[in-house]
Amino acid sequence: MTTSTHGDHLHVLGPDSGLARVFASYEERAHGDPSAAWHAFTTAWNWAAPLTTAVPGADVRDRPVARPAVGGGFSLSGLWHLPGHDGTGPWLALPLTAGERPSRPVTATPGGLDLFAVPSKALRAAVHAVTGDADVPGPVFRLEDVHVPTGFVTHAAATPLRAGDAPFLWTAVVAQALGAVRRMTDTLAAADAEPGAARGPRPSAAVAAELAAVLHDERLSLAAALHGAPSARLGLPLSAEERLAARVQRAGNAAHQVVASALDHALASYGYAGEHPLVHLMEASAPILQQVRYATQLLPPDDGTSWKGA
């Protein structure tokens, strides 16, 4: 499936597209504008759909609410229940509303984000009160001010992914991470030319070139691994999925290491990173970098069907 916006004709590839094409497209989009790429991705694809999904409480007192949190992300409170379910699994999806979106939403978040992925272990630690209700089968739990980073929030109304679409999710997310961080190295390379720029112990261009080389190696490695791969919907055997998951994890780690090194250089140059031109890009890329750490845990490898090329 391919979707597009009417404004800028941004094409968003989906799990029916070959993984090599998915990787190239999302990497390029995020390099151009990380924030817009992530918004288009979450608007098009509900990546949390395969997770166990709770049902939000309907009572006004316990109705779920999400508020913007200081420092980014959201603070989530309210009551949910898991009808007919005896365990949450490693991750749980918490929606703000049940079923069809009401004509007047109970609560609003920036961008209409209304589905929150929370790790079960963090959820259990943050449960304020667990109650039973004879009229509601399954566990019932109430949360108070649980922090959810923006990278783990999506749109319930977006096209749902399937559990077998995991390779698509991994590929799209790691591609965006590499593209966004590649944009950071470009910005770092030009930092010394900015008016009034401070000079650190090493030229920013030299540091950027070294970091860009790390990203280049990871992009080439992933592109080679995805060469000839079908779409996620056609299926990969479990062994191929596991190798892809490992490569995605490695590339995601490399992206984070590059960001950390770029930030260290900015601090060495400016003394205060808030003045560095990288800061805006890091903020815009934060949801992608948050998601890439856990993408292979959100939707883990599962046995596929047909591809034997990996």
Side-chain angles (χ1 to χ4, degrees), residues 36 53 63 70 116 125 145 159 179 195 211 261 263 310:
T53 302
R63 190 171 291 165
V70 176
F116 301 76
D145 297 326
T159 301
L211 298 179
S261 296
L263 182 59

Side-chain angles (χ1 to χ4, degrees), residues 174-189:
V174 77
Q176 290 177 80
L178 292 175
V181 179
R182 182 162 67 94
R183 177 67 177 267
M184 293 182 199
T185 62
D186 292 347
T187 301
L188 183 63

Side-chain angles (χ1 to χ4, degrees), residues 97-114:
T97 56
E100 296 297 324
R101 185 184 299 276
S103 57
R104 297 186 67 182
V106 172
T107 179
T109 58
L113 295 163
D114 59 358

Side-chain angles (χ1 to χ4, degrees), residues 138-217:
V140 179
F141 54 91
R142 183 181 293 107
L143 306 180
E144 286 188 3
D145 297 326
V146 172
H147 181 257
V148 182
T150 308
F152 299 99
V153 189
T154 189
H155 299 81
T159 301
L161 295 183
R162 308 169 185 170
D165 294 334
F168 163 70
L169 174 68
W170 310 335
T171 302
V173 170
V174 77
Q176 290 177 80
L178 292 175
V181 179
R182 182 162 67 94
R183 177 67 177 267
M184 293 182 199
T185 62
D186 292 347
T187 301
L188 183 63
D192 289 347
E194 294 287 328
R199 297 293 188 273
R202 295 184 62 202
S204 293
V207 175
E210 292 176 0
L211 298 179
V214 173
L215 293 177
H216 179 72
D217 290 345

Side-chain angles (χ1 to χ4, degrees), residues 195-282:
R199 297 293 188 273
R202 295 184 62 202
S204 293
V207 175
E210 292 176 0
L211 298 179
V214 173
L215 293 177
H216 179 72
D217 290 345
E218 291 298 333
R219 288 200 310 276
L220 286 183
S221 176
L222 263 173
L226 293 170
H227 180 71
S231 70
R233 290 279 164 92
L234 287 179
L236 283 71
L238 181 58
S239 59
E241 285 201 3
E242 290 175 339
R243 288 197 294 273
L244 177 58
R247 288 180 181 274
V248 166
Q249 290 173 336
R250 188 184 72 183
N253 290 338
H256 276 278
Q257 290 167 6
V258 167
V259 171
S261 296
L263 182 59
D264 285 346
H265 178 75
L267 287 169
S269 299
Y270 280 66
Y272 170 58
E275 299 176 356
H276 199 278
L278 279 176
V279 171
H280 174 71
L281 267 176
M282 289 182 176

Side-chain angles (χ1 to χ4, degrees), residues 3-10:
T3 62
S4 64
T5 62
H6 295 293
D8 60 1
H9 303 290
L10 174 63

